[in-house]
Amino acid sequence: MYVCICNGVTDHQIREAAQSGVVSVSELTMRTGCGATCGSCLDMAADLLARFSATHDLPLPVLGLAQVA
C-alpha cells in the first residue's frame, strides 16, 4: 500500500526502514522521502513506523549487556 503518494513510499519500505534501525519520522523522511513534499502522510507513516519498530527484536549484544547489569 502506498503511504506517501507524492514520493511513492510504500508500507513495505517503511517496514524495511524500521528493521534497519529507523526510529523517528524525520529519519524516515531523510531515508525514504516520505512526507517531504506535502506532509499529509506523516501521521500514517509515524503510526506504521511505531508499529513496525515495536515488533522489531533487540539485537543479541543488547540482551547480553542487560544480563551483565
Side-chain angles (χ1 to χ4, degrees):
M1 158 181 78
Y2 281 95
V3 175
C4 178
I5 302 299
C6 297
N7 295 308
V9 180
T10 65
D11 61 326
H12 182 73
Q13 291 170 298
I14 294 173
R15 182 183 307 113
E16 287 177 344
Q19 289 174 344
S20 69
V22 173
V23 293
S24 69
V25 175
S26 59
E27 187 177 2
L28 180 68
T29 299
M30 287 187 287
R31 289 200 184 190
T32 66
C34 184
T37 304
C38 77
S40 65
C41 62
L42 289 176
D43 288 337
M44 181 184 287
D47 181 51
L48 289 171
L49 185 60
R51 187 176 338 148
F52 295 142
S53 294
T55 60
H56 188 262
D57 293 332
L58 293 174
L60 291 176
V62 172
L63 293 175
L65 292 174
Q67 292 173 354
V68 171

